[in-house]
Amino acid sequence: MIKRWIVLAGEEGGPVCNKMGGIWDVIDAEARTLARLAARKEIECDLKILVAGPYYPTAGADWNKGKARVTDVSGLDALDMNDELTSALDQLKAEGIDVVAAQTEVAGVPIGYLLFNTAYYDSIIKTLYGTKMTLANAIKAEAWQLSRLDSMQFERAPYGPEYTHYLGLSYAVSQFVHYLVSLGEERAKKYGDEAISEFARSVMPKMRVSLHCHEFPTFYALARLKCLGVPVRTMATLHATVPGRSSGYRSLEKVAKNDGTWDPNVPVGMATLESLAKYADVVSFVGDSTMREAMLFHKLNGIVIRNGIELDVRRIDWDKKNACRRKIQRFLSEGLHRVYGGEVIDPEEILPVFTISRLELENKGYPQLLDSLLLQNHLLRHRRMDHRFAEKMRVVCLLITSHGPKSKEKLPEDFPIDLPAEVLVGEEIRLNKMIRDLGIDAGNLAAGRRQVSAILYPQWAGPDDGGMRMGVDEIMAGCVAGIFPSQYEPFLLTGLEAGREGTPSIVSRACGFSDALKKVERLVTGLGGVVVVDNIEASLQEMILDYALALDYFTWTYLEDQVKYRLLCEESFALAKLMNWTEPVLEYYKNLMVSSELDKCMPPEIRGFDVG
């Protein structure tokens, strides 16, 4: 009898409170999609699905002090999957590694969560190579012996605590997998008689475990298992590369010049952990650009498996879009009047657009975005000569980006239109100054000196954020268009999220997401529901002009031709539907299977995968 397990591991694995960015969405979607496929018997129906990640009991436990995550499992059920899992966890606990275990269900299929608190590994004494030392030091000593990780160098770097946490998390994940795989063997050894032991070994369930690690924080787990000779099928997925992210928009130039040197600002310890993907049976990348970077910086080869999006609706919710747009328009109209006075702008004359990203100004293309907004203002001025609508039209671009969540008690009543200096920190200050220097701030819009404005929204958007009090999905639904001018972007899930709400978008060619557009049949002649701007080969002036023209196209179509605008929305929604999670998760699953002899309930077309 064979029992099959898939373990999905990552720094953001676990409940949503462990989320730092888009990787959580990917791990969560893969687990849930696997469960739905198993429930429909499109993959092995008895597959056991586990998600492994960190456990942060208090805000101070998170190595990322800006996020200060606290892991909350109160909304999950107690873990109750089977005795083998319990036995493996008991072996971990006997070693001193505590694990917080829980589970949820999707389509009647359980998904288990194994969460590890690495903060106390300095207080556990372990004997390694005949010497007593702390568990944290034992992990580092073994890592040097197995894969030549120079922890003595890396732990002294500014990112030392983060590196130590990743190594501890990877050790815990790999040790659990090791115990799970060897469970039958260990039980058989309990019998003194060799013949009985051999018979017990033959009738006990065989554990076939596959480990899928998302991003470098857990790549040491798969490297350690391979070095120890544990029979596990492993897969490493890179969503970006550490050297590429450090180079940012300059990584395109490095790829073009075949320059594989790491920039001086590259965190070498993190990049070294990333290079451990070479130990995986399969290496995958979320886009062609990430694959090119990995080949350049790490000499890694692999396959491209795109990201996807969960889409549980069949059509655009037009009632939601209209209601959200009206809410945003009223908020902006009333706020502008309260803060700056003057004539009240009719809410229907305000056309909201948005961008949302991490606060990486150059990588996310904010200088180019602001320049294009200024240029669009000039386009509107010229439109006023022969279009009666143009004179009253106002375009407001919400720049949703922040260093972290802000306490709503510290925000002014009309945040973010009223944005005092003391609210801003770090790069938020620089971005706000860039807006003011170009004269496209909200004050100039309210005074009638500009028709296009950028409003910085330095907060994690949500129903209790002290600002518009709308979820990200509601903001996306209510805006006329989204614009994502990233100079460095491995995939761009936010473009798909906008499409899920039926909102057209403008994306840069540098985004991995742009490659998917080649597969979509256009519903609208002309530019279409998702516009790609060339920011690789085009000059800076051409790029800024193209962003401005694309934004003008969406906003003007919204005003002048509602039938065509709806078709643009339908096209963006069709792309999101096309790029659901089923296809990529099946690709992951096929590459993670460890046996060619599958369960009877497996459909014939899923059988016969590579033997690990």
Side-chain angles (χ1 to χ4, degrees):
M1 181 182 179
I2 295 175
K3 292 192 175 181
R4 307 184 194 282
W5 302 73
I6 284 185
V7 181
L8 311 178
E11 167 61 19
E12 296 188 54
V16 69
C17 44
N18 275 3
K19 179 179 172 69
M20 282 197 305
I23 309 298
W24 181 88
D25 298 278
V26 175
I27 297 173
D28 185 67
E30 183 180 358
R32 292 176 179 276
T33 304
L34 282 170
R36 293 189 189 101
L37 291 170
R40 298 197 299 262
K41 297 187 178 181
E42 293 180 39
I43 61 174
E44 186 167 356
C45 56
D46 290 330
L47 182 72
K48 305 298 182 186
I49 305 164
L50 296 174
V51 176
Y55 181 73
Y56 299 112
T58 61
D62 189 355
W63 60 265
N64 189 325
K65 305 308 177 188
K67 304 289 184 184
R69 293 167 292 170
V70 177
T71 307
D72 181 12
V73 296
S74 60
L76 301 173
D77 299 325
L79 186 67
D80 183 24
M81 294 184 76
N82 63 26
D83 293 339
E84 288 85 7
L85 179 57
T86 302
S87 297
L89 294 178
D90 286 344
Q91 285 183 272
L92 267 185
K93 292 174 183 176
E95 189 180 333
I97 298 176
D98 196 18
V99 56
V100 175
Q103 77 176 46
T104 188
E105 275 196 6
V106 173
V109 176
I111 298 173
Y113 293 97
L114 306 179
L115 309 174
F116 301 95
N117 178 9
T118 65
Y120 68 94
Y121 287 5
D122 270 322
S123 61
I124 299 174
I125 301 301
K126 180 181 176 69
T127 300
L128 181 70
Y129 310 133
T131 304
K132 287 188 176 182
M133 60 185 79
T134 65
L135 177 59
N137 285 335
I139 292 171
K140 293 171 184 175
E142 185 191 49
W144 168 254
Q145 291 294 329
L146 294 178
S147 54
R148 285 299 185 258
L149 281 176
D150 190 356
S151 298
M152 290 186 68
Q153 174 191 345
F154 302 148
E155 68 186 0
R156 295 190 182 100
Y159 52 81
E162 182 183 356
Y163 168 84
T164 299
H165 163 71
Y166 291 159
L167 212 60
L169 177 62
S170 293
Y171 175 85
V173 171
S174 62
Q175 198 71 337
F176 162 74
V177 171
H178 190 180
Y179 287 142
L180 188 61
V181 169
S182 59
L183 200 58
E185 194 72 25
E186 292 300 318
R187 286 179 173 176
K189 288 179 181 177
K190 293 179 180 179
Y191 299 98
D193 187 282
E194 186 175 342
I196 297 176
S197 179
E198 188 62 34
F199 174 74
R201 190 178 293 109
S202 67
V203 298
M204 283 182 178
K206 292 179 174 58
M207 299 298 165
R208 296 290 184 261
V209 182
S210 301
L211 175 63
H212 187 184
C213 295
H214 284 273
E215 281 286 82
F216 69 90
T218 53
F219 283 178
Y220 175 62
L222 58 86
R224 180 173 181 267
L225 289 166
K226 289 300 177 181
C227 290
L228 292 174
V230 180
V232 177
R233 180 76 171 173
T234 59
M235 187 175 197
T237 294
L238 285 82
H239 296 255
T241 66
V242 173
R245 196 176 289 282
S246 298
S247 298
Y249 62 93
R250 296 186 304 276
S251 65
L252 294 173
E253 183 181 347
K254 291 178 89 59
V255 171
K257 293 181 177 180
N258 197 32
D259 177 11
T261 59
W262 295 357
D263 285 350
N265 63 328
V266 171
V268 177
M270 304 306 182
T272 305
L273 286 177
E274 188 171 72
S275 68
L276 297 179
K278 65 187 178 184
Y279 287 95
D281 294 308
V282 183
V283 180
S284 72
F285 314 98
V286 298
D288 292 330
S289 61
T290 304
M291 180 173 67
R292 287 192 289 268
E293 286 178 22
M295 292 176 69
L296 179 68
F297 295 123
H298 297 305
K299 304 297 186 289
L300 289 173
N301 289 310
I303 58 176
V304 174
I305 300 178
R306 64 162 175 83
N307 279 335
I309 193 167
E310 288 193 273
L311 194 65
D312 52 5
V313 293
R314 294 187 175 183
R315 57 183 65 87
I316 297 173
D317 187 343
W318 290 105
D319 290 337
K320 175 184 178 180
K321 284 183 72 67
N322 292 331
C324 291
R325 187 180 61 256
R326 286 193 292 268
K327 183 175 180 180
I328 294 172
Q329 289 171 324
R330 284 197 305 271
F331 175 86
L332 293 173
S333 174
E334 294 169 4
L336 287 168
H337 180 64
R338 281 194 299 268
V339 174
Y340 296 105
E343 186 179 345
V344 178
I345 302 174
D346 184 344
E348 293 190 2
E349 294 173 359
I350 297 176
L351 304 187
V353 297
F354 81 98
T355 189
I356 183 170
S357 72
R358 291 188 300 273
L359 194 57
E360 300 173 6
L361 299 191
E362 278 71 30
N363 284 353
K364 300 304 178 183
Y366 279 98
Q368 293 83 0
L369 171 57
L370 297 181
D371 285 344
S372 68
L373 292 174
L374 180 61
L375 185 53
Q376 197 200 4
N377 183 77
H378 288 273
L379 292 173
L380 276 179
R381 278 173 50 196
H382 287 281
R383 278 192 185 275
R384 290 165 58 176
M385 297 178 184
D386 58 353
H387 289 84
R388 61 187 179 89
F389 294 131
E391 187 173 352
K392 295 184 177 181
M393 177 179 170
R394 304 287 187 275
V395 177
V396 177
C397 185
L398 300 170
L399 313 182
I400 306 171
T401 183
S402 171
H403 275 296
K406 293 178 172 62
S407 171
K408 65 176 183 176
E409 286 76 20
K410 297 180 181 179
L411 301 177
E413 180 182 355
D414 288 302
F415 172 85
I417 297 170
D418 181 12
L419 197 58
E422 57 268 20
V423 169
L424 303 175
V425 295
E427 289 288 275
E428 298 169 359
I429 298 172
R430 183 159 75 98
L431 180 55
N432 198 46
K433 184 178 184 299
M434 290 164 62
I435 295 169
R436 292 182 177 278
D437 288 347
L438 288 175
I440 55 173
D441 53 282
N444 279 320
L445 184 80
R449 290 187 289 270
R450 299 288 192 196
Q451 287 185 261
V452 179
S453 170
I455 294 180
L456 176 59
Y457 202 107
Q459 173 66 306
W460 285 12
D464 197 29
D465 65 0
M468 290 193 296
R469 294 177 171 82
M470 300 174 70
V472 172
D473 63 310
E474 295 174 310
I475 295 174
M476 288 180 170
C479 285
V480 173
I483 179 166
F484 311 104
S486 295
Q487 295 289 90
Y488 177 81
E489 190 69 64
F491 188 77
L492 188 72
L493 275 174
T494 46
L496 281 178
E497 290 168 351
R500 180 171 56 192
E501 301 301 329
T503 298
S505 58
I506 304 158
V507 304
S508 66
R509 184 181 158 195
C511 301
F513 167 63
S514 65
D515 293 332
L517 298 176
K518 301 170 187 175
K519 302 177 182 178
V520 181
E521 183 179 348
R522 295 290 184 181
L523 301 177
V524 184
T525 56
L527 293 180
V530 180
V531 175
V532 179
V533 171
D534 183 4
N535 65 340
I536 297 176
E537 297 178 355
S539 68
L540 177 63
Q541 292 83 359
E542 289 176 307
M543 181 204 319
I544 292 169
L545 178 60
D546 284 343
Y547 282 130
L549 289 172
L551 202 53
D552 185 68
Y553 169 69
F554 284 136
T555 52
W556 195 250
T557 301
Y558 171 82
L559 273 181
E560 204 171 44
D561 190 344
Q562 273 290 310
V563 173
K564 184 175 181 180
Y565 178 75
R566 283 198 165 216
L567 285 174
L568 295 173
C569 294
E570 293 289 355
E571 185 169 275
S572 65
F573 183 74
L575 177 63
K577 283 176 64 177
L578 177 71
M579 297 187 69
N580 61 48
W581 271 112
T582 301
E583 181 184 328
V585 169
L586 279 174
E587 283 298 312
Y588 284 142
Y589 179 78
K590 291 175 183 179
N591 282 282
L592 282 165
M593 289 303 296
V594 296
S595 174
S596 59
E597 187 72 29
L598 303 186
D599 194 88
K600 297 296 185 182
C601 67
M602 287 282 293
E605 62 270 19
I606 304 297
R607 296 178 189 164
F609 303 142
D610 293 341
V611 179

